[in-house]
Amino acid sequence: MLVVVASVSGAPGASTAALGMAALWPERPALLVEADPGGGVVAARFGLAQEPGLASLAAAARHGGHAGGAAPYVQQVPLGLHVLVGPGAAETAAGAVSVLAGQAEAVARLAPVVVADAGRLYANSPAWGLLRSADAVVLVTSGSTEYLDHLDTRLPALRAAARPGGVGLAVCGRSAFTPTEISGRLGVPVWAQLPADRWGAGVLAGRMTGRAWTRTRLAQALRALAASVAAGGQPAGAALEVVR
């Protein structure tokens, strides 16, 4: 299963959401692939080396040498999660993502569940190729009018690139609109609303530690979102509580 997590405007938390979803995936953690052409953040957040990672896998893929899977290229973060880290340099990251997005079906087979952080899906982003093979695309957005307006202009292209019914929203922070209102306005379901949570976000950013982070409001919402996507995109229950 391949799940692509991305945004279309600014930085509303796509990387944090992707990390949390992968770490809290039902039954066991998913493999996180940093497929952000703008550069990866996990290595910097958790003090990892940038290799092995996405760039070395892409180099092997150019010569057909990644058939053995992701194992030689992954690292582990303290969350108990295996990660294929992206290079910090945008030029290197964009080249690696372009190679792997051209082999999206192979990326989907790297692990039973792959969560790909595609960063900001700007026009002509190399990560667009991943959408064709994605079982689900989670678009992370702020609930403010300006973000929703921007998302509205981009959704036709995103829905055309993804599988039918495979696009849903994760709305971050406070919003003046209910999930029903947002879904009605944009024509795609709201799969989760992610609360502002300093502790939960701090752990996923590598700034804080503690096993109890899984009981934070953000972790609970991300666990529900992961379960929702695993179940085929049903609304994530308690995560849809509107934060005003």
Side-chain angles (χ1 to χ4, degrees):
M1 182 178 193
L2 174 61
V3 180
V4 173
V5 182
S7 68
V8 299
S9 179
S15 294
T16 297
L19 263 167
M21 286 182 65
L24 299 166
W25 196 264
E27 297 185 7
R28 66 175 185 175
L31 171 66
L32 177 69
V33 175
E34 278 199 293
D36 184 347
V41 298
V42 169
R45 285 185 179 185
F46 295 97
L48 303 178
Q50 293 189 9
E51 290 293 342
L54 192 79
S56 50
L57 176 62
R62 287 189 183 97
H63 302 94
H66 70 305
Y73 309 101
V74 300
Q75 300 185 58
Q76 190 168 9
V77 297
L79 303 172
L81 174 67
H82 285 97
V83 181
L84 189 63
V85 299
E91 295 82 358
T92 306
V97 172
S98 180
V99 170
L100 295 176
Q103 303 180 31
E105 292 184 3
V107 173
R109 295 194 298 269
L110 289 174
V113 180
V114 174
V115 175
D117 173 10
R120 184 170 64 88
L121 281 172
Y122 54 86
N124 300 318
S125 166
W128 276 84
L130 293 172
L131 301 187
R132 296 190 300 272
S133 295
D135 296 280
V137 179
V138 180
L139 297 176
V140 182
T141 181
S142 165
S144 68
T145 298
E146 92 180 72
Y147 276 89
L148 296 177
D149 284 350
H150 191 188
L151 182 57
D152 193 20
T153 65
R154 300 292 305 283
L155 271 170
L158 289 162
R159 294 173 70 181
R163 295 182 179 181
V167 178
L169 307 180
V171 181
C172 292
R174 298 177 181 273
S175 176
F177 308 103
T178 67
T180 300
E181 290 170 337
I182 294 173
S183 180
R185 174 181 176 180
L186 299 180
V188 292
V190 176
W191 285 340
Q193 184 150 2
L194 306 179
D197 178 351
R198 180 175 175 271
W199 182 18
V203 171
L204 292 170
R207 296 190 302 268
M208 300 180 181
T209 59
R211 296 180 181 177
W213 84 274
T214 57
R215 297 199 295 270
T216 64
R217 294 173 64 220
L218 178 58
Q220 291 172 10
L222 288 169
R223 180 184 288 109
L225 174 57
S228 166
V229 174
Q234 297 301 313
L240 289 177
E241 177 186 357
V242 178
V243 182
R244 294 187 183 277

